[in-house]
């Protein structure tokens, strides 16, 4: 059996993370984006390496998601609610089909 499935991960892909709204040439951090079920909750998370989760959120925490650009890779701008209630904007860049599947898995199609 696939280890990702054993861990509750439905979709995993290489991706890049940028802190803030998308701008051409913004600095990006390479890692992996995955969508799955953790302790009964549907989650989208970004890892820098195995077990090094930079952030994760549930669909309820995602205030908005919008596709900024698409080609071989898709650029997605997300706004999530922080613990204090203030919004945080960040950018994800990754393979078009897998990014789309990850957001569909959490019920927020792009």
């Amino acid at each position: 059996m696939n280890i990702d499935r054993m861990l509750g991960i439905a979709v995993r892909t290489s991706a890049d993370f940028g802190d803030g709204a998308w701008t051409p040439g913004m600095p990006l951090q390479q890692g992996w984006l995955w969508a799955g079920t953790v302790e009964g909750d549907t989650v989208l998370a970004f890892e820098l390496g195995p077990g090094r989760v930079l952030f994760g959120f549930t669909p309820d925490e995602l205030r908005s998601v919008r596709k900024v650009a698409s080609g071989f890779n898709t650029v997605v701008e997300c706004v999530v609610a922080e613990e204090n209630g203030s919004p945080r904007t960040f950018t994800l860049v990754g393979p078009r089909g897998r990014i789309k599947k990850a957001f569909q898995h959490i019920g927020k199609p792009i």
Side-chain angles (χ1 to χ4, degrees):
M1 178 172 223
N2 183 320
I3 190 86
D4 278 353
R5 287 192 188 133
M6 290 172 56
L7 295 172
I9 297 172
V11 179
R12 178 191 296 271
T13 187
S14 60
D16 296 324
F17 163 80
D19 196 16
W22 181 79
T23 58
M26 75 184 301
L28 298 172
Q29 174 70 50
Q30 293 180 332
W32 292 268
L33 180 72
W34 57 265
T37 304
V38 177
E39 297 178 5
D41 291 325
T42 302
V43 175
L44 190 74
F46 186 85
E47 283 184 319
L48 298 174
R52 293 180 42 213
V53 176
L54 181 62
F55 67 82
F57 57 87
T58 65
D60 293 340
E61 296 169 315
L62 183 62
R63 291 188 176 172
S64 70
V65 60
R66 121 185 135 91
K67 180 170 53 173
V68 178
S70 187
F72 178 71
N73 284 325
T74 295
V75 178
V76 178
E77 197 174 88
C78 301
V79 178
V80 295
E82 292 277 286
E83 287 183 19
N84 63 7
S86 63
R88 177 179 182 203
T89 302
F90 61 89
T91 301
L92 295 170
V93 181
R96 181 180 56 217
R98 291 183 185 164
I99 290 284
K100 184 177 179 179
K101 284 180 185 178
F103 280 93
Q104 282 177 336
H105 182 78
I106 66 165
K108 302 288 185 171
I110 53 172

